[in-house]
Amino acid sequence: MSNSYAQPILRTGDLAEALRVVRQLLELVDTRSVEVDLEAVARTPAELARLADAVPEADWWARGSDRPGSSPEGGTAADHLPVFLSAWCRPIHMAEEFLAAAGSASAMVRWDLDGWPAAPEVRLGPGGTRGAYITLATHAHDLYLDEPADVHTVFVHVKQVEAERAPWLAAQVGLRVIGELVVAPL
């Protein structure tokens, strides 16, 4: 199994701006088969209720390695707050609905792409599905949702051997990379 590598290209307090950048990146690719993966950390009963309404089939786990409780084990998520929720391979239209439901909770949407376009300026042909993602982490600095924040972060994912594609992608939407290339959870 291979890893994805992600690099942040935008950090903003304005969710609409972050979504605008995501939409611009999506204009670079064929979106007919794009799916989204949805993840969030619910810390309060209100956050959990909103997220469960938005994605009722989401799996959940008690947040923290030393805390028992998960949907596969049975039980109720509300009895194990804070919980991590996850729903993968959802239709693209669910992204913004999910983010609206997340409100101020730390959440993540990852757009799973068929590949990036050719980047001739950095001598790269079209990319395949491996490493072709866009992630928006809301109310978080990081991909793991471990660092809650008042900002939203847009990441582009690339193959490690094609690291120069990340700054190229950022430039296509008028931005630049703003952090290190990091191993991304998949």
Coordinates of all heavy atoms in Angstrom, one line a residue, residues 51-122:
L51 N -24.2 16.1 13.2 CA -23.4 15.2 12.3 C -24.1 13.9 12.1 O -24.1 13.4 10.9 CB -22.0 15.0 12.9 CG -21.1 16.2 12.9 CD1 -19.9 16.0 13.9 CD2 -20.6 16.5 11.5
A52 N -24.8 13.4 13.1 CA -25.5 12.1 12.9 C -26.7 12.3 11.9 O -27.0 11.4 11.2 CB -26.0 11.6 14.2
D53 N -27.3 13.5 12.0 CA -28.4 13.8 11.1 C -27.9 13.9 9.6 O -28.5 13.5 8.7 CB -29.1 15.1 11.5 CG -30.0 14.9 12.6 OD1 -30.4 13.8 13.0 OD2 -30.4 16.0 13.2
A54 N -26.7 14.5 9.5 CA -26.1 14.7 8.1 C -25.6 13.4 7.5 O -25.8 13.2 6.3 CB -25.0 15.7 8.2
V55 N -25.1 12.5 8.4 CA -24.5 11.3 7.9 C -24.9 10.2 8.9 O -24.1 9.7 9.7 CB -23.0 11.3 7.7 CG1 -22.4 10.1 7.0 CG2 -22.6 12.6 7.0
P56 N -26.1 9.7 8.9 CA -26.6 8.8 9.9 C -25.9 7.4 9.9 O -25.8 6.7 10.9 CB -28.1 8.6 9.5 CG -28.3 9.1 8.2 CD -27.2 10.1 7.9
E57 N -25.3 7.1 8.7 CA -24.6 5.8 8.6 C -23.1 5.9 9.0 O -22.3 4.9 8.8 CB -24.8 5.2 7.2 CG -24.0 5.9 6.1 CD -24.7 7.2 5.7 OE1 -25.8 7.6 6.2 OE2 -24.2 7.8 4.7
A58 N -22.6 7.0 9.5 CA -21.2 7.2 9.8 C -20.8 6.2 10.9 O -21.6 6.0 11.9 CB -21.0 8.6 10.3
D59 N -19.6 5.7 10.8 CA -19.0 4.9 11.9 C -18.4 5.9 12.9 O -18.1 7.0 12.6 CB -17.9 4.0 11.3 CG -18.4 2.9 10.5 OD1 -19.4 2.3 10.8 OD2 -17.7 2.6 9.4
W60 N -18.3 5.4 14.2 CA -17.8 6.3 15.2 C -16.9 5.5 16.1 O -17.0 4.3 16.3 CB -18.9 7.0 16.0 CG -19.8 6.1 16.7 CD1 -20.9 5.5 16.3 CD2 -19.6 5.6 18.1 NE1 -21.5 4.7 17.3 CE2 -20.7 4.7 18.4 CE3 -18.6 5.8 19.0 CZ2 -20.8 4.1 19.6 CZ3 -18.7 5.1 20.2 CH2 -19.8 4.3 20.5
W61 N -15.9 6.2 16.7 CA -15.0 5.6 17.7 C -14.8 6.6 18.8 O -14.7 7.8 18.6 CB -13.6 5.3 17.1 CG -13.6 4.3 16.1 CD1 -13.4 3.0 16.2 CD2 -13.9 4.5 14.7 NE1 -13.5 2.4 15.0 CE2 -13.8 3.3 14.0 CE3 -14.2 5.6 13.9 CZ2 -14.0 3.1 12.6 CZ3 -14.4 5.5 12.5 CH2 -14.3 4.3 11.9
A62 N -14.7 6.2 20.1 CA -14.4 7.1 21.2 C -13.0 7.7 20.9 O -12.1 7.0 20.4 CB -14.4 6.3 22.5
R63 N -12.9 9.0 21.0 CA -11.7 9.7 20.7 C -10.7 9.5 21.8 O -10.9 9.8 23.0 CB -12.0 11.2 20.6 CG -10.9 12.1 20.2 CD -10.6 12.0 18.7 NE -9.6 13.0 18.3 CZ -9.1 13.2 17.2 NH1 -9.4 12.3 16.2 NH2 -8.3 14.1 16.9
G64 N -9.5 9.0 21.4 CA -8.5 8.7 22.4 C -8.1 7.2 22.4 O -9.0 6.4 22.5
S65 N -6.9 6.9 22.4 CA -6.4 5.5 22.2 C -6.8 4.7 23.5 O -6.9 3.5 23.4 CB -4.9 5.4 22.0 OG -4.2 6.1 23.1
D66 N -7.0 5.3 24.6 CA -7.3 4.6 25.8 C -8.7 4.5 26.2 O -9.1 4.1 27.2 CB -6.5 5.2 27.0 CG -6.8 6.6 27.3 OD1 -7.4 7.3 26.3 OD2 -6.6 7.1 28.4
R67 N -9.6 4.9 25.2 CA -11.0 5.0 25.5 C -11.8 4.0 24.7 O -11.7 4.0 23.5 CB -11.6 6.4 25.2 CG -10.9 7.5 26.1 CD -11.4 8.8 25.9 NE -12.9 8.8 26.2 CZ -13.8 9.2 25.3 NH1 -13.5 9.5 24.1 NH2 -15.1 9.2 25.7
P68 N -12.5 3.0 25.3 CA -13.3 2.1 24.6 C -14.6 2.7 24.0 O -15.0 3.7 24.5 CB -13.6 1.0 25.6 CG -13.6 1.8 26.9 CD -12.6 2.9 26.8
G69 N -15.1 2.0 23.1 CA -16.4 2.4 22.5 C -16.3 2.7 21.0 O -15.5 3.5 20.6
S70 N -17.2 2.0 20.2 CA -17.2 2.3 18.8 C -18.5 1.7 18.2 O -19.2 0.9 18.8 CB -16.0 1.7 18.1 OG -16.1 0.2 18.1
S71 N -18.8 2.2 17.0 CA -20.0 1.6 16.4 C -19.9 0.1 16.1 O -20.9 -0.6 16.3 CB -20.4 2.4 15.1 OG -19.3 2.5 14.2
P72 N -18.8 -0.4 15.7 CA -18.7 -1.9 15.5 C -18.9 -2.6 16.8 O -19.4 -3.8 16.8 CB -17.3 -2.1 15.0 CG -16.9 -0.8 14.4 CD -17.5 0.2 15.2
E73 N -18.6 -2.0 18.0 CA -18.8 -2.7 19.3 C -20.2 -2.5 19.8 O -20.6 -3.2 20.7 CB -17.9 -2.1 20.3 CG -16.4 -2.3 20.1 CD -15.5 -1.5 21.0 OE1 -16.0 -0.9 21.9 OE2 -14.3 -1.6 20.8
G74 N -21.0 -1.7 19.1 CA -22.4 -1.4 19.6 C -22.3 -0.2 20.6 O -21.3 0.4 20.8
G75 N -23.4 0.1 21.2 CA -23.5 1.2 22.1 C -23.9 2.5 21.4 O -24.2 2.5 20.2
T76 N -23.9 3.5 22.1 CA -24.4 4.8 21.6 C -23.2 5.8 21.7 O -22.6 6.0 22.7 CB -25.5 5.3 22.5 OG1 -26.5 4.3 22.5 CG2 -26.1 6.6 22.0
A77 N -23.0 6.5 20.6 CA -21.9 7.5 20.5 C -22.0 8.5 21.6 O -21.0 9.0 22.1 CB -21.9 8.1 19.1
A78 N -23.3 9.0 21.9 CA -23.4 10.0 22.9 C -22.9 9.6 24.3 O -22.5 10.5 25.1 CB -24.9 10.4 23.0
D79 N -22.8 8.3 24.5 CA -22.3 7.9 25.8 C -20.7 7.9 25.8 O -20.2 7.5 26.9 CB -22.8 6.4 26.1 CG -24.3 6.4 26.3 OD1 -24.9 7.4 26.7 OD2 -24.9 5.3 26.1
H80 N -20.1 8.2 24.7 CA -18.6 8.1 24.6 C -18.0 9.4 24.1 O -16.8 9.3 23.7 CB -18.3 6.9 23.7 CG -18.7 5.6 24.1 ND1 -18.1 4.9 25.0 CD2 -19.8 4.9 23.8 CE1 -18.7 3.7 25.3 NE2 -19.8 3.7 24.5
L81 N -18.6 10.5 24.2 CA -18.0 11.8 23.8 C -16.7 12.1 24.5 O -16.6 11.8 25.7 CB -19.0 12.9 24.0 CG -20.3 12.9 23.1 CD1 -21.3 14.0 23.6 CD2 -19.9 13.0 21.7
P82 N -15.8 12.6 23.8 CA -15.8 13.0 22.4 C -15.6 11.8 21.5 O -15.0 10.8 21.9 CB -14.6 13.9 22.2 CG -13.7 13.5 23.3 CD -14.5 13.0 24.4
V83 N -16.2 11.8 20.3 CA -16.1 10.7 19.3 C -15.6 11.2 18.0 O -15.8 12.4 17.6 CB -17.4 9.9 19.2 CG1 -17.8 9.3 20.5 CG2 -18.5 10.8 18.6
F84 N -14.9 10.3 17.3 CA -14.5 10.5 15.9 C -15.5 9.8 15.0 O -15.8 8.7 15.2 CB -13.1 9.9 15.8 CG -12.5 10.1 14.4 CD1 -11.9 11.3 14.0 CD2 -12.6 9.0 13.5 CE1 -11.4 11.4 12.7 CE2 -12.0 9.2 12.2 CZ -11.4 10.4 11.8
L85 N -16.0 10.6 14.0 CA -17.0 10.0 13.1 C -16.3 9.9 11.7 O -15.6 10.8 11.3 CB -18.2 10.9 13.0 CG -19.1 10.9 14.2 CD1 -18.9 12.2 14.9 CD2 -20.5 10.7 13.9
S86 N -16.7 8.9 10.9 CA -16.1 8.7 9.6 C -17.1 8.1 8.6 O -17.8 7.1 9.0 CB -14.9 7.8 9.7 OG -14.4 7.5 8.5
A87 N -17.2 8.6 7.5 CA -18.1 8.1 6.4 C -17.3 8.3 5.1 O -17.0 9.4 4.7 CB -19.4 8.8 6.3
W88 N -17.0 7.2 4.4 CA -16.1 7.3 3.2 C -17.0 7.0 1.9 O -18.0 6.4 2.0 CB -15.0 6.3 3.3 CG -13.9 6.8 4.2 CD1 -14.0 7.6 5.2 CD2 -12.5 6.4 4.1 NE1 -12.8 7.8 5.8 CE2 -11.9 7.1 5.2 CE3 -11.8 5.5 3.3 CZ2 -10.5 6.9 5.4 CZ3 -10.4 5.4 3.5 CH2 -9.8 6.1 4.6
C89 N -16.4 7.4 0.8 CA -17.0 7.1 -0.5 C -18.4 7.6 -0.7 O -19.4 6.9 -1.1 CB -17.0 5.6 -0.8 SG -15.3 4.9 -0.7
R90 N -18.6 8.9 -0.3 CA -19.9 9.5 -0.4 C -20.0 10.4 -1.7 O -19.0 10.8 -2.2 CB -20.2 10.4 0.8 CG -20.1 9.6 2.1 CD -21.2 8.6 2.2 NE -21.2 7.9 3.5 CZ -21.2 6.6 3.6 NH1 -21.2 5.8 2.6 NH2 -21.2 6.0 4.8
P91 N -21.2 10.7 -2.1 CA -21.3 11.6 -3.3 C -20.8 12.9 -3.0 O -20.9 13.4 -1.9 CB -22.8 11.6 -3.6 CG -23.4 10.6 -2.7 CD -22.5 10.2 -1.6
I92 N -20.2 13.6 -4.1 CA -19.6 14.9 -3.9 C -20.5 15.9 -3.3 O -20.0 16.8 -2.6 CB -19.0 15.3 -5.3 CG1 -18.0 16.5 -5.1 CG2 -20.1 15.6 -6.3 CD1 -17.2 16.8 -6.4
H93 N -21.8 15.9 -3.6 CA -22.7 16.9 -3.1 C -22.8 16.9 -1.6 O -23.2 17.9 -1.0 CB -24.1 16.8 -3.7 CG -24.9 15.6 -3.2 ND1 -24.8 14.4 -3.7 CD2 -25.7 15.6 -2.1 CE1 -25.6 13.6 -3.0 NE2 -26.2 14.3 -2.0
M94 N -22.4 15.9 -0.9 CA -22.5 15.8 0.5 C -21.4 16.6 1.2 O -21.6 16.9 2.4 CB -22.4 14.3 1.0 CG -23.6 13.5 0.7 SD -23.6 11.9 1.5 CE -23.8 12.4 3.2
A95 N -20.4 17.1 0.5 CA -19.3 17.8 1.2 C -19.8 19.0 1.9 O -19.5 19.2 3.1 CB -18.2 18.2 0.2
E96 N -20.5 19.9 1.2 CA -20.9 21.2 1.8 C -22.0 21.0 2.9 O -22.0 21.7 3.9 CB -21.3 22.2 0.8 CG -20.0 22.6 0.0 CD -20.2 23.8 -0.9 OE1 -21.0 24.7 -0.6 OE2 -19.7 23.8 -2.0
E97 N -22.9 20.0 2.6 CA -23.9 19.7 3.6 C -23.3 19.2 4.9 O -23.7 19.6 6.0 CB -24.8 18.6 3.1 CG -25.6 18.9 1.9 CD -26.3 17.7 1.2 OE1 -26.5 16.7 1.9 OE2 -26.6 17.8 0.0
F98 N -22.2 18.4 4.8 CA -21.5 17.8 6.0 C -20.8 19.0 6.7 O -20.9 19.1 7.9 CB -20.5 16.8 5.5 CG -19.7 16.2 6.6 CD1 -20.2 15.3 7.5 CD2 -18.4 16.6 6.8 CE1 -19.5 14.8 8.6 CE2 -17.6 16.1 7.8 CZ -18.1 15.2 8.7
L99 N -20.2 19.9 6.0 CA -19.5 21.0 6.6 C -20.4 21.9 7.3 O -20.1 22.4 8.4 CB -18.6 21.7 5.6 CG -17.4 21.0 5.1 CD1 -16.8 21.7 4.0 CD2 -16.4 20.6 6.2
A100 N -21.6 22.1 6.8 CA -22.6 22.9 7.4 C -23.1 22.3 8.7 O -23.2 22.9 9.8 CB -23.8 23.2 6.5
A101 N -23.3 21.0 8.7 CA -23.7 20.2 9.9 C -22.6 20.2 11.0 O -22.8 20.3 12.2 CB -24.0 18.8 9.6
A102 N -21.3 20.2 10.5 CA -20.2 20.2 11.5 C -20.1 21.5 12.3 O -19.7 21.5 13.4 CB -18.9 19.9 10.7
G103 N -20.5 22.6 11.7 CA -20.5 23.9 12.4 C -19.1 24.1 12.9 O -18.1 24.2 12.1
S104 N -18.9 24.3 14.2 CA -17.6 24.7 14.8 C -16.8 23.4 15.2 O -15.7 23.5 15.7 CB -17.8 25.6 16.0 OG -18.6 24.9 17.0
A105 N -17.3 22.2 14.9 CA -16.6 21.0 15.2 C -15.4 20.9 14.2 O -15.5 21.3 13.1 CB -17.5 19.8 15.1
S106 N -14.3 20.3 14.7 CA -13.2 20.0 13.7 C -13.7 18.9 12.7 O -14.2 17.9 13.2 CB -12.0 19.4 14.5 OG -11.5 20.4 15.3
A107 N -13.6 19.2 11.5 CA -14.1 18.3 10.4 C -13.1 18.2 9.3 O -12.3 19.1 9.1 CB -15.5 18.7 10.0
M108 N -13.3 17.2 8.4 CA -12.4 17.0 7.3 C -13.2 16.5 6.1 O -14.0 15.5 6.3 CB -11.3 16.1 7.6 CG -10.2 15.9 6.5 SD -10.7 14.7 5.2 CE -11.0 13.2 6.1
V109 N -13.1 17.1 4.9 CA -13.6 16.5 3.7 C -12.4 16.2 2.8 O -11.6 17.1 2.6 CB -14.6 17.4 3.0 CG1 -15.1 16.8 1.7 CG2 -15.8 17.7 3.9
R110 N -12.3 15.0 2.3 CA -11.3 14.7 1.3 C -12.0 14.3 0.0 O -12.8 13.4 -0.1 CB -10.4 13.5 1.8 CG -9.3 13.2 0.9 CD -8.4 12.1 1.5 NE -9.1 11.0 2.0 CZ -9.1 10.7 3.3 NH1 -8.4 11.3 4.2 NH2 -9.8 9.6 3.8
W111 N -11.6 15.1 -1.1 CA -12.1 14.8 -2.4 C -11.2 13.8 -3.0 O -10.0 14.0 -3.2 CB -12.2 16.1 -3.2 CG -13.3 17.0 -2.8 CD1 -14.5 17.1 -3.5 CD2 -13.4 17.9 -1.8 NE1 -15.3 18.0 -2.8 CE2 -14.6 18.5 -1.8 CE3 -12.5 18.3 -0.8 CZ2 -15.0 19.5 -0.9 CZ3 -12.9 19.2 0.2 CH2 -14.1 19.9 0.1
D112 N -11.7 12.6 -3.4 CA -10.9 11.5 -4.0 C -11.0 11.6 -5.5 O -12.0 11.4 -6.1 CB -11.5 10.2 -3.5 CG -10.7 9.0 -3.9 OD1 -9.8 9.1 -4.8 OD2 -11.0 7.9 -3.5
L113 N -9.9 12.0 -6.1 CA -9.8 12.3 -7.6 C -9.3 11.2 -8.4 O -8.6 10.3 -7.9 CB -8.9 13.6 -7.8 CG -9.2 14.7 -6.9 CD1 -8.1 15.8 -7.1 CD2 -10.6 15.3 -7.0
D114 N -9.6 11.2 -9.7 CA -9.1 10.2 -10.6 C -7.6 10.5 -11.0 O -6.9 9.7 -11.5 CB -9.9 10.2 -11.9 CG -11.2 9.4 -11.7 OD1 -11.3 8.6 -10.7 OD2 -12.2 9.6 -12.5
G115 N -7.2 11.7 -10.8 CA -5.8 12.1 -11.1 C -5.7 13.6 -11.3 O -6.7 14.3 -11.6
W116 N -4.4 14.1 -11.2 CA -4.1 15.5 -11.4 C -3.8 15.6 -12.9 O -3.3 14.7 -13.6 CB -2.9 15.9 -10.6 CG -3.2 16.0 -9.1 CD1 -2.7 15.3 -8.1 CD2 -4.2 16.9 -8.5 NE1 -3.2 15.7 -6.9 CE2 -4.1 16.7 -7.1 CE3 -5.0 17.9 -9.0 CZ2 -4.9 17.4 -6.2 CZ3 -5.8 18.6 -8.1 CH2 -5.7 18.4 -6.7
P117 N -4.0 16.8 -13.4 CA -3.6 17.1 -14.8 C -2.1 17.1 -15.0 O -1.3 17.2 -14.0 CB -4.2 18.5 -15.1 CG -4.2 19.1 -13.8 CD -4.5 18.0 -12.8
A118 N -1.6 17.1 -16.2 CA -0.2 17.2 -16.5 C 0.3 18.6 -16.0 O -0.5 19.6 -16.0 CB 0.1 17.1 -18.0
A119 N 1.5 18.6 -15.5 CA 2.1 19.8 -15.1 C 3.4 20.0 -15.8 O 4.5 19.8 -15.3 CB 2.4 19.8 -13.6
P120 N 3.4 20.4 -17.1 CA 4.6 20.5 -17.9 C 5.6 21.4 -17.4 O 6.8 21.1 -17.6 CB 4.0 20.9 -19.3 CG 2.7 21.5 -19.1 CD 2.1 20.9 -17.8
E121 N 5.3 22.4 -16.7 CA 6.3 23.4 -16.2 C 7.2 22.7 -15.2 O 8.3 23.2 -15.0 CB 5.6 24.6 -15.5 CG 4.7 25.4 -16.4 CD 3.3 24.9 -16.5 OE1 3.0 23.8 -16.2 OE2 2.4 25.7 -17.0
V122 N 6.8 21.6 -14.5 CA 7.6 20.9 -13.6 C 7.9 19.5 -14.1 O 8.2 18.6 -13.3 CB 7.0 20.9 -12.2 CG1 7.1 22.3 -11.6 CG2 5.6 20.3 -12.1

